[in-house]
Amino acid sequence: MQTVVNLSRLRHNVRRIKAQTRNGFCAVVKANAYGHGIGIAPFIEPVVNCFMVATADEAFELALTVNKSILTLGGDISQYLRLLSPNIVPTVCDAQQLDAIVRAGYKRFSVAINTGMNRLGADERKLADIVSYCKDNNVVPWSVYSHLYSLGSAVGQSEEFERLTENPILRENRHLYCSNALDLDGFDLFGMTRAGIAMYGYSRYTDIAMRVRAKIVGLSRVSKGEHVGYGDYVIEKDSLIATVRCGYADGLRRTDKQLYLKVRGVKCPIIGVPCMDLCMIDVTNLPCRVGEYAYLIADKEDAEYLAKCYGTIVYEVLTGFNGRTQRFYI
């Protein structure tokens, strides 16, 4: 399996989002950049204000290749206490975490606020403790943020975020909205927009940056009534079957829905069930040869169809292309 990322398109997506939101831009590159590979970061660094990752391991890896600030999501801060990097901005959710981060030598930090998602973030009481600590120790958050969990909650969460950040200490660099901010015309988007899925092309304003493909490694003439693959699948007519080097170990899941790969732009149904390393597709009457590529994702429609068949969302499809997947940047 190979993923091919168009870096020019990725940068163009960033510019379109910035033009739409007219504020700062934080590129979300957690989970190996949503399956696109963390290697994209240096190529988009000139057009972004900062990056965001989920874990300390991701942050320290990214800090080796970029110079701009790297925000991290809240949670376990223990790794930050053992290592120090000047462009990493850890997130704290209470005064105890803040004290530990400051004592570890970090000059910058972010504060996460709970505005209703109830995942991570300071509530009103913890936020008051954080403000008191900042005053007593003469420190100020580099950024303060929460997370919009649905478009329907936008008004209420925005108002709650505004209320909770009334103190001047908390108003320097606020960010609430993520990719769905692109659908919020007329909203105050605060100081910065964090974008992940929209940056990678899954919004009405952007185009997908990554194609997913695998090589055809065999062609076989199979007669009506013969089996194909595992189980009891029997071919219903004389067919030309192509064997493709991708399977469920590469992110092509087994499902009872009809999947397809595209060869030369034509949808070729997967025959039988995907194996661990291979799958078979029907290429009858389609001129193709061993060595050319079959595409699991050639456009946005393909990714959305996969998500529908898997009973999940595009995010999960994209982040499933890891492990032995080869990545190419063009």
Side-chain angles (χ1 to χ4, degrees):
M1 183 82 81
Q2 298 177 349
T3 59
V4 182
V5 179
N6 186 317
L7 297 168
S8 295
R9 182 167 293 174
L10 197 57
R11 288 189 290 265
H12 181 63
N13 286 345
V14 173
R15 293 188 183 100
R16 291 185 71 176
I17 295 171
K18 290 169 70 175
Q20 178 72 16
T21 61
R22 299 183 299 278
N23 64 356
F25 185 87
C26 178
V28 182
V29 292
K30 62 181 180 176
N32 218 357
Y34 288 41
H36 294 64
I38 198 65
I40 67 166
F43 296 100
I44 64 172
E45 186 172 15
V47 294
V48 307
N49 296 91
C50 60
F51 297 93
M52 176 170 268
V53 296
T55 69
D57 287 339
E58 290 177 337
F60 289 116
E61 178 185 1
L62 184 56
L64 298 175
T65 61
V66 300
N67 296 311
K68 289 187 176 176
S69 298
I70 303 167
L71 284 68
T72 65
L73 294 175
D76 181 15
I77 65 166
S78 59
Q79 286 181 271
Y80 303 110
L81 309 184
R82 297 192 295 269
L83 295 170
L84 182 65
S85 178
N87 57 332
I88 291 177
V89 184
T91 286
V92 300
C93 299
D94 57 46
Q96 289 73 31
Q97 288 186 335
L98 175 53
D99 180 59
I101 286 294
V102 171
R103 289 179 182 275
Y106 280 88
K107 305 298 183 184
R108 299 183 301 164
F109 60 91
S110 290
V111 175
I113 298 177
N114 179 18
T115 57
M117 190 172 186
N118 294 308
R119 183 172 62 177
L120 285 173
D123 57 21
E124 192 163 4
R125 179 184 59 80
K126 291 179 179 179
L127 195 58
D129 292 340
I130 290 173
V131 170
S132 295
Y133 182 93
C134 289
K135 291 178 178 178
D136 293 342
N137 294 274
N138 196 30
V139 294
V140 177
W142 187 85
S143 80
V144 177
Y145 70 92
S146 188
H147 191 69
L148 188 68
Y149 59 84
S150 74
L151 287 178
S153 72
V155 173
Q157 282 192 265
S158 181
E159 291 174 349
E160 179 70 354
F161 188 58
E162 181 68 46
R163 184 184 72 83
L164 291 172
T165 57
E166 287 179 347
N167 192 293
I169 287 176
L170 303 174
R171 298 182 70 84
E172 183 63 28
N173 182 20
R174 298 179 297 164
H175 43 113
L176 170 64
Y177 296 110
C178 41
S179 290
N180 46 24
L182 300 182
D183 295 315
L184 296 172
D185 295 331
F187 270 69
D188 177 3
L189 299 179
F190 301 101
M192 187 163 63
T193 299
R194 303 184 309 272
I197 200 70
M199 179 177 71
Y200 301 112
Y202 293 87
S203 80
R204 55 181 172 150
Y205 299 100
T206 55
D207 300 312
I208 70 166
M210 181 176 75
R211 270 67 179 173
V212 182
R213 67 189 187 185
K215 278 188 178 181
I216 295 174
V217 295
L219 287 170
S220 303
R221 292 285 178 184
V222 181
S223 300
K224 177 182 178 180
E226 290 191 73
H227 286 81
V228 176
Y230 290 116
D232 56 1
Y233 186 87
V234 176
I235 205 80
E236 296 180 350
K237 61 180 180 179
D238 294 348
S239 303
L240 179 63
I241 302 299
T243 300
V244 184
R245 179 62 73 184
C246 67
Y248 57 79
D250 304 292
L252 174 61
R253 301 187 195 175
R254 297 160 69 103
T255 174
D256 58 0
K257 303 297 191 298
Q258 179 62 67
L259 300 179
Y260 63 81
L261 301 181
K262 282 181 177 175
V263 179
R264 304 189 181 189
V266 177
K267 294 180 181 178
C268 301
I270 291 179
I271 301 301
V273 295
C275 309
M276 182 182 290
D277 317 296
L278 301 164
C279 69
M280 285 69 76
I281 58 176
D282 188 342
V283 293
T284 306
N285 300 321
L286 176 65
C288 63
R289 63 184 185 275
V290 171
E292 70 176 283
Y293 290 104
Y295 284 80
L296 183 59
I297 297 179
D299 53 38
K300 193 180 303 185
E301 175 196 20
D302 298 334
E304 292 172 345
Y305 180 75
L306 276 176
K308 181 180 179 180
C309 289
Y310 294 163
T312 186
I313 56 177
V314 168
Y315 298 73
E316 190 174 349
V317 172
L318 298 179
T319 56
F321 301 122
N322 284 306
R324 62 188 180 186
T325 301
Q326 296 177 301
R327 290 186 173 82
F328 296 94
Y329 300 122
I330 60 174

